[in-house]
Amino acid sequence: MEVPAGLTSGKEPAAAALPSVSLPIPVQITVVDALNLRALKSNVLFTLVRVEYNGAVLGDSPKTHVLPDGSAEYDFSTSFECSPDGPNSLDVLVQKPLLLTVLNVVPKEKKKPEKITPLGQAVVDLLPLLQGVRSLKVFAPLYAVPASPSEMLHPEATSGLEVMVSTKELLLSATQFSSGNLLSITLEAAYSVPEAFTTDAQQNYMACLQIPAAGEKELPLLFKNGILKAGGDKEPLPRPKIWPLGPILAPGALNIPDSFIVGGRYEDEDGELTKREDREFRMQAESTKRIVWDTERRCFLDAAAVAVLQKRIAECRYWPVELCRMSMASAGKGKTNKIDKGDEDKQIAFHGVAYVNMAHLLCPGVKQIRGAFRVFNYEESEVFEKTKIQHSIFQDLRSQLSLVKEGLGNSPVSKAAPNKAQKEEKECSVMYSEAGTFLVMEIKLDRPLVPKRLREELIRRVKELIPPRPALQPRTEGARKVVEDYHKRVTSVAVNILREYHKLFGKQQAMDHETLEEQKRQLNYELNTSGKYFAFKEQLKYSVVKIVREKYLKTTAFETKEQLQAFLSELYVYLVDHMHIALNKFLSGEDVSPAPPSCATMEQLWLFAREAEANKDLKLASLFYKQRIARDQRSIQSWVDYGAFCLLYEDATKAQECFQQAVSLDPQNIQSLLLCGIAAVKLQHYKEAEIFFEDACCLEPSSIIAWTLSGLFYETQNNYIQAERNFREAKKLLRAQFEEEEQGRILEAAEGEGKKPSSPSIDPEKIPVGSADKPPVEGVTSKEEATALQEAPEAPHPAPEPQPPPCTIFMKTVPFLMKFNAIRFVHKALAHELLLSLQGGPTCAYYLALAWTYMLQEDFPRCEECLCEAIRIDPVNPNVWAQKGHLCYLQKDLVNAKDCYERVISFVEDAVDLHFVYLRLGSIYLEEKEYGRAKQIYLLACDNSASCLTWLGVGIACYRLEEMLEAEDALSEANALNNTNAEVWGYLALICLQGGRQLEAEQCYKYTVKLGLQNEALLREIRAAQHHFGFGDPSL
């Protein structure tokens, strides 16, 4: 492999991307010693070391004897100057290493002169000198020089040189270094190259791109000496990156220490050809003819250059990377190596261009792009349209590089047959597109152009949006407090009266009634004549006033005397009752047992609220949600459930308040943060939404749902680059989750069968799960996102395409969105799911979720279409038939609804919303007067999840079957769960009328009327029964 003419390392064009040093700064190099030289050659006796930099020899050390242990002491020092105008500028220093060659010296013998042969080579990276280091000491591995080009050596180096490099002053100040950025570009290979490419030694395969620098300058980065390899095995991974030095004596020394090309999954890349249909093409291309560079070039950009880079990317996201094949300049005898001016203006042969989307680097926290990029024919108009660059880099540099185009040099052939050359140019122009050529490259920054918000900053911003609410001061005059104060006053007065009694009559109490009455009269007389009665009354007066104000909320005068008299009567009864409670407690010395707590649990209240929602009784549903919050104001789930209700039925502002309250209770609750983001999007507070979504991803980076929702949000902002990156992260997490669970399943199966487990074959795009139609376990954290996976059938070899139905990140997220009524985001997720399933068609889960959204929007025709498709795909899915039954029920088609519900309960597997299936099927049976079947269904509902409505259904069915005792028991259960249901009181009134219990019948009827019974038929039935039995209505 030879260096093309004019492309030696010291003559590359450069631009001032780096801040220039004002004066030359000497770089001092000291080669201390060498170790284990006999590993390179066993009989080596004398050696010297040669120091080179940027193509120039800096000096040779004196000849040194090699000790028996293989070491050699050199202590040789040399230096070069780093200056902006000299050959060794900072641009060169950042990307070219120091080259050290150990030479074997064979002493001259009688008739033989002294012979010097290369033994090994090592390189030293000088980049640390730009990173705030003035002195570095390294042990550079020494790679052996092969005796012949065909000799293969072990790549590991066991020998080495100890080298010290230093400068008297810093090449870059701390401010310059911290404000700048290190840009590394690695060109790996070009695959699927045209068939016309041959392994001709006179051809040089090159690529080039320009990096914007400060001012008007551009920094061209050239990748030369690409190696054309024939088909065969793929390039190994990982493999080392190499220095841009060109051919050297020891090829192993070209490897950059601790810098490797590691590859990765196609779908995780940032470029093109990442879809499932491209995978097979890329796998084939990687094992056929290709051009390999594996070269890394670096440049350090100062603050001004970083600003220009960021501005250029914002102005035009696509940057051109040019590719061509060049002929080396080969001048024959008597020929000149000059290029005709007419040839310079002609196009370069095999001139292609790849367009790299650099906009990824403007995403927060992103500092690396790696991917495959298609190569197209270089057309100036097209390149200018996409990149705003008017001229080819190769055309601009051609005269400087002294390159000639293939077939256009000063050879007689090219001059004799110009038409043939032009025809070849035209054919070359389309070869890249026909071959499907693509470049694989990596662009990496040391620091992101747009810093990602730190976790601490996100927490601070969230706290600014949701300031901590101060705890409410305890009310000193609350209703409970004033009653307790009244009890204390009554007890105090009773103690004083008892003391007066003891003064008058002693502690011996009279037993006969007449004596007690006489003592009572005397005590009253004493209290009245002494003024103590008035004092005791005044002690009670203030506590009674507080009860009137705090308990009865009476603070204004009564309008009529009747109202005043009625209130005084009620107050008198209340005060006497509590006086008895206080006295009993005082005299017995025991606390009075408190009132029994409500029978309904938090889960039952949530169920009652959902039942009210299903019946479109939104006022009652809201009441139940508020009761849950009142029961425990620190329950995060109660706040988010009420917020989800408000998001759908009331207003987004109230929903946002609920979600923010949940976040204030626990700022690290991912579910609450995501819901705050969803509510903010609905309110069009997009800056706030971004903070919430970003905070959720930062706090729980393993949450598939958080990354997916964040991606959907960025799509609404037309930030497609960031959206795609977030989707890719979610896919990576889903794939990792599946691999872990699949591996666990294989290990389990292997342990059961006593076989050795093998690695599964995994499709990175779509992950098979057991049933995508079942909603996963609710929640958003990585632990909560786990779902049961279907066991893949065994195969003799890994299958390229998995057979089970796929589950994507979007269908993973849809159940979470459905649970909290985020309809807009559900539609966005389903749109992505539809795009991903164009080949195989949408899944049953897709149609089921879409039907749910249409049902909430009461778009019944479109809902029916979706359910028909879902039934066609999976006719034995109970969730589909349950949804179909709900649709028919809402359309008042009770016959078809009953058929669907009966089908649901006949399945072995239960539907997700089986509770509502039971409720509605039971109501249909009651409507059709099939009371026996209604009773059975409602009893199943009670066993599944008891509620007021399920026991009410049992009570109604039993009443119609004239099973009065069972009916009363069921209605009593319903009343215990919810004593505000007017229909329960109505049926209890009927039972009491049937049993002749007049007082209870009147009481039940009062509650029925007071709670506002809406069932007119039941109300008429009650009144008819009252008229028949002659009691039950107090107004008669």
Side-chain angles (χ1 to χ4, degrees):
M1 193 166 57
E2 300 179 10
V3 181
L7 281 183
T8 57
S9 57
K11 297 183 179 181
E12 291 187 3
L18 282 163
S20 59
V21 290
S22 56
L23 294 174
I25 298 177
V27 179
Q28 186 75 21
I29 302 149
T30 301
V31 183
V32 181
D33 57 17
L35 299 177
N36 201 20
L37 289 177
R38 297 192 186 277
L40 301 177
K41 192 172 183 180
S42 59
N43 60 349
V44 61
L45 296 176
F46 296 94
T47 61
L48 61 88
V49 62
R50 177 171 295 166
V51 183
E52 300 176 65
Y53 190 71
N54 197 18
V57 177
L58 302 182
D60 293 350
S61 71
K63 182 172 64 175
T64 305
H65 178 67
V66 179
L67 300 176
D69 61 356
S71 63
E73 298 287 341
Y74 296 114
D75 289 328
F76 170 69
S77 296
T78 184
S79 65
F80 67 87
E81 289 187 341
C82 178
S83 63
D85 301 325
N88 301 322
S89 64
L90 293 180
D91 286 323
V92 175
L93 201 71
V94 77
Q95 61 181 316
K96 290 195 175 180
L98 189 69
L99 181 61
L100 307 171
T101 306
V102 175
L103 301 173
N104 181 27
V105 180
V106 180
K108 61 182 179 179
E109 298 177 359
K110 295 179 180 179
K111 295 183 179 180
K112 293 182 180 179
E114 186 178 66
K115 183 179 180 182
I116 299 177
T117 58
L119 189 63
Q121 286 186 312
V123 294
V124 176
D125 189 1
L126 300 181
L127 180 63
L129 295 178
L130 274 71
Q131 297 174 327
V133 176
R134 284 196 305 178
S135 175
L136 67 147
K137 184 177 182 180
V138 297
F139 181 79
L142 196 59
Y143 294 88
V145 175
S148 64
S150 60
E151 182 181 349
M152 298 298 293
L153 295 174
H154 198 277
E156 293 183 1
T158 57
S159 307
L161 294 172
E162 188 175 339
V163 184
M164 295 180 64
V165 183
S166 62
T167 59
K168 291 185 178 180
E169 56 184 282
L170 292 174
L171 299 181
L172 288 177
S173 67
T175 303
Q176 288 175 320
F177 176 73
S178 61
S179 61
N181 211 330
L182 179 66
L183 175 66
S184 304
I185 298 179
T186 303
L187 183 62
E188 298 180 18
Y191 295 99
S192 189
V193 296
E195 290 295 329
F197 284 10
T198 59
T199 54
D200 188 348
Q202 297 299 315
Q203 308 302 330
N204 189 354
Y205 297 97
M206 301 177 57
C208 186
L209 75 158
Q210 289 188 134
I211 300 299
E216 299 296 326
K217 297 181 179 180
E218 300 285 341
L219 178 63
L221 296 181
L222 288 168
F223 295 87
K224 306 160 294 185
N225 305 319
I227 302 172
L228 182 66
K229 295 186 177 181
D233 294 335
K234 295 182 180 181
E235 295 297 313
L237 288 174
R239 61 184 186 272
K241 298 179 182 179
I242 63 175
W243 293 103
L245 294 179
I248 63 174
L249 297 174
L254 284 173
N255 299 340
I256 301 176
D258 302 322
S259 185
F260 297 93
I261 297 171
V262 296
R265 296 178 181 272
Y266 301 144
E267 62 274 10
D268 293 338
E269 295 177 351
D270 302 293
E272 305 162 11
L273 301 171
T274 58
K275 298 179 180 178
R276 296 179 68 242
E277 53 267 25
D278 301 321
R279 191 187 327 161
E280 186 177 352
F281 164 68
R282 288 189 61 176
M283 292 176 68
Q284 291 178 354
E286 288 174 359
S287 57
T288 56
K289 188 187 294 185
R290 57 198 179 272
I291 303 170
V292 179
W293 286 273
D294 288 346
T295 303
E296 179 183 82
R297 303 210 64 158
R298 304 182 300 206
C299 59
F300 188 86
L301 307 177
D302 63 9
V306 170
V308 171
L309 176 67
Q310 193 166 346
K311 181 182 176 183
R312 294 281 181 88
I313 296 175
E315 290 174 351
C316 184
R317 64 175 57 185
Y318 291 106
W319 283 20
V321 178
E322 297 183 38
L323 177 68
C324 72
R325 187 178 80 176
M326 292 287 188
S327 289
M328 298 183 190
S330 55
K333 284 185 180 181
K335 308 285 183 183
T336 64
N337 202 22
K338 251 183 175 180
I339 303 173
D340 293 343
K341 184 177 179 183
D343 290 339
E344 287 186 12
D345 296 335
K346 294 182 181 180
Q347 291 185 349
I348 299 171
F350 290 99
H351 195 184
V353 62
Y355 301 102
V356 180
N357 188 349
M358 301 283 283
H360 292 275
L361 294 178
L362 296 184
C363 295
V366 175
K367 55 184 180 180
Q368 178 179 343
I369 295 175
R370 183 185 180 276
F373 303 93
R374 292 184 183 275
V375 179
F376 301 92
N377 169 43
Y378 188 94
E379 295 286 348
E380 284 193 0
S381 58
E382 183 181 349
V383 172
F384 177 75
E385 181 182 352
K386 283 193 173 184
T387 67
K388 310 304 179 188
I389 294 178
Q390 296 181 348
H391 302 291
S392 163
I393 308 171
F394 286 130
Q395 291 283 10
D396 292 342
L397 300 179
R398 189 172 167 195
S399 59
Q400 301 176 36
L401 301 176
S402 302
L403 294 174
V404 295
K405 184 185 76 67
E406 179 184 14
L408 290 179
N410 291 332
S411 64
V413 178
S414 62
K415 292 195 173 187
N419 292 334
K420 182 179 179 181
Q422 292 173 5
K423 183 178 180 182
E424 185 181 347
E425 291 174 22
K426 189 173 181 180
E427 291 176 356
C428 294
S429 66
V430 295
M431 283 188 177
Y432 287 122
S433 299
E434 290 179 352
T437 307
F438 61 92
L439 288 175
V440 177
M441 62 186 302
E442 176 190 77
I443 301 173
K444 186 177 180 180
L445 291 164
D446 190 45
R447 288 185 291 271
L449 293 177
V450 182
K452 191 174 183 178
R453 292 188 183 100
L454 297 176
R455 180 173 179 177
E456 292 76 13
E457 181 187 355
L458 288 170
I459 293 173
R460 178 182 60 80
R461 294 290 298 274
V462 170
K463 285 183 178 179
E464 290 175 359
L465 295 174
I466 310 173
R469 294 172 172 81
L472 294 175
Q473 294 295 328
R475 292 182 59 187
T476 58
E477 299 299 331
R480 181 177 177 182
K481 179 69 171 58
V482 298
V483 173
E484 291 176 354
D485 184 58
Y486 174 70
H487 287 186
K488 291 178 182 178
R489 294 295 178 183
V490 168
T491 303
S492 176
V493 170
V495 169
N496 290 330
I497 293 174
L498 187 60
R499 187 178 295 114
E500 293 297 323
Y501 175 85
H502 289 160
K503 285 182 182 180
L504 291 174
F505 310 108
K507 294 186 178 182
Q508 187 66 33
Q509 184 178 354
M511 300 302 295
D512 59 292
H513 179 69
E514 292 180 1
T515 305
L516 286 175
E517 287 296 324
E518 181 61 29
Q519 289 179 351
K520 180 180 177 182
R521 283 193 296 269
Q522 291 182 26
L523 179 61
N524 285 334
Y525 175 78
E526 181 64 27
L527 292 176
N528 279 290
T529 55
S530 64
K532 292 179 180 179
Y533 177 82
F534 178 77
F536 293 155
K537 188 173 69 172
E538 285 300 313
Q539 290 180 23
L540 291 173
K541 180 179 178 180
Y542 183 61
S543 60
V544 173
V545 170
K546 288 194 294 183
I547 285 178
V548 173
R549 290 178 177 175
E550 299 295 332
K551 181 70 178 178
Y552 289 92
L553 306 178
K554 299 294 184 181
T555 57
T556 58
F558 292 92
E559 296 179 358
T560 63
K561 289 184 178 181
E562 290 77 10
Q563 290 180 353
L564 174 60
Q565 198 61 40
F567 172 71
L568 290 176
S569 300
E570 183 180 357
L571 178 62
Y572 175 78
V573 172
Y574 181 83
L575 293 176
V576 170
D577 288 343
H578 276 272
M579 180 188 70
H580 290 157
I581 292 173
L583 291 176
N584 289 335
K585 180 180 178 181
F586 169 66
L587 295 174
S588 65
E590 297 178 1
D591 291 341
V592 180
S593 58
S598 173
C599 295
T601 63
M602 297 286 282
E603 291 75 15
Q604 286 175 323
L605 286 174
W606 178 66
L607 180 61
F608 300 165
R610 292 180 60 223
E611 289 176 339
E613 278 188 73
N615 294 331
K616 299 300 179 183
D617 191 347
L618 303 184
K619 185 177 179 182
L620 181 61
S622 179
L623 177 64
F624 284 128
Y625 281 122
K626 290 176 181 177
Q627 284 182 7
R628 293 182 74 213
I629 294 173
R631 179 97 45 105
D632 182 6
Q633 294 192 9
R634 300 196 62 81
S635 170
I636 294 175
Q637 195 60 45
S638 298
W639 283 106
V640 297
D641 287 340
Y642 184 44
F645 170 79
C646 295
L647 192 67
L648 180 62
Y649 294 109
E650 296 187 7
D651 61 90
T653 302
K654 186 179 290 187
Q656 188 182 44
E657 291 174 358
C658 294
F659 297 147
Q660 289 185 353
Q661 179 64 31
V663 172
S664 67
L665 291 172
D666 182 6
Q668 297 189 356
N669 186 275
I670 310 302
Q671 177 179 258
S672 307
L673 287 168
L674 293 175
L675 293 174
C676 280
I678 290 171
V681 170
K682 190 166 185 178
L683 292 170
Q684 299 182 2
H685 299 166
Y686 299 119
K687 292 294 183 183
E688 294 181 13
E690 183 176 10
I691 292 172
F692 286 123
F693 286 126
E694 194 173 342
D695 191 25
C697 294
C698 181
L699 287 173
E700 187 61 59
S702 60
S703 171
I704 299 170
I705 294 176
W707 286 107
T708 307
L709 282 181
S710 181
L712 293 174
F713 162 73
Y714 281 116
E715 267 196 344
T716 64
Q717 304 303 296
N718 298 324
N719 189 348
Y720 299 109
I721 298 294
Q722 186 66 55
E724 186 56 38
R725 294 191 73 86
N726 288 14
F727 290 151
R728 191 188 312 148
E729 184 66 26
K731 291 175 184 176
K732 189 186 300 183
L733 291 169
L734 182 62
R735 182 174 59 248
Q737 182 187 97
F738 172 75
E739 288 177 356
E740 182 180 351
E741 295 176 355
E742 183 73 1
Q743 188 65 29
R745 184 193 65 79
I746 291 176
L747 288 172
E748 245 180 66
E751 287 175 3
E753 298 176 5
K755 295 179 181 178
K756 186 178 179 180
S758 59
S759 299
S761 174
I762 296 164
D763 188 328
E765 281 288 334
K766 295 183 178 180
I767 307 301
V769 300
S771 176
D773 306 321
K774 300 178 189 175
V777 179
E778 297 165 354
V780 296
T781 62
S782 57
K783 292 181 181 178
E784 295 167 330
E785 285 169 349
T787 53
L789 299 177
Q790 180 180 355
E791 294 187 358
E794 293 184 2
H797 53 81
E801 297 292 335
Q803 298 303 319
C807 172
T808 65
I809 58 172
F810 303 104
M811 291 312 297
K812 190 88 170 175
T813 308
V814 161
F816 171 80
L817 297 172
M818 291 170 64
K819 178 185 176 184
F820 295 105
N821 302 323
I823 297 178
R824 180 182 178 185
F825 277 86
V826 170
H827 278 293
K828 288 185 174 296
L830 293 179
H832 277 278
E833 178 67 16
L834 184 62
L835 290 175
L836 290 175
S837 58
L838 286 178
Q839 293 181 349
T843 62
C844 180
Y846 166 84
Y847 284 115
L848 200 57
L850 192 58
W852 173 84
T853 62
Y854 290 141
M855 187 175 293
L856 285 183
Q857 296 168 345
E858 297 186 355
D859 189 350
F860 296 143
R862 297 175 76 177
C863 177
E864 188 170 5
E865 291 176 7
C866 293
L867 290 176
C868 289
E869 286 296 319
I871 291 172
R872 179 186 61 80
I873 295 171
D874 189 358
V876 294
N877 190 323
N879 295 316
V880 179
W881 288 103
Q883 198 84 319
K884 177 74 171 177
H886 296 331
L887 175 65
C888 296
Y889 187 86
L890 294 175
Q891 292 177 317
K892 307 300 182 183
D893 184 2
L894 300 185
V895 175
N896 286 326
K898 183 175 76 170
D899 291 342
C900 293
Y901 290 147
E902 288 175 343
R903 185 189 292 258
V904 171
I905 63 176
S906 67
F907 284 118
V908 175
E909 185 180 358
D910 290 339
V912 173
D913 58 346
L914 188 61
H915 179 79
F916 295 97
V917 172
Y918 284 144
L919 280 181
R920 288 177 170 174
L921 180 58
S923 68
I924 293 173
Y925 285 148
L926 289 179
E927 187 77 19
E928 296 178 351
K929 299 183 179 180
E930 298 183 44
Y931 302 123
R933 302 181 71 180
K935 177 182 175 182
Q936 291 301 119
I937 289 298
Y938 278 121
L939 284 172
L940 288 174
C942 291
D943 182 62
N944 181 61
S945 50
S947 70
C948 175
L949 295 186
T950 58
W951 284 115
L952 173 61
V954 175
I956 295 173
C958 290
Y959 176 77
R960 298 305 179 191
L961 292 171
E962 298 183 357
E963 299 171 355
M964 297 302 174
L965 290 177
E966 293 185 17
E968 186 172 0
D969 289 342
L971 292 171
S972 297
E973 289 288 339
N975 208 2
L977 291 173
N978 180 17
N979 59 5
T980 62
N981 189 299
E983 201 163 342
V984 173
W985 287 107
Y987 277 100
L988 282 172
L990 284 175
I991 291 173
C992 292
L993 287 170
Q994 295 285 349
R997 292 139 61 184
Q998 181 175 350
L999 182 60
E1000 294 174 52
E1002 289 181 0
Q1003 192 71 23
C1004 292
Y1005 178 68
K1006 285 180 184 178
Y1007 280 111
T1008 302
V1009 176
K1010 182 179 180 180
L1011 294 170
L1013 180 63
Q1014 301 296 320
N1015 190 336
E1016 293 294 333
L1018 177 59
L1019 196 57
R1020 287 195 300 270
E1021 185 177 359
I1022 294 172
R1023 288 172 179 168
Q1026 290 171 344
H1027 181 74
H1028 175 72
F1029 291 106
F1031 63 89
D1033 186 353
S1035 62
L1036 296 178

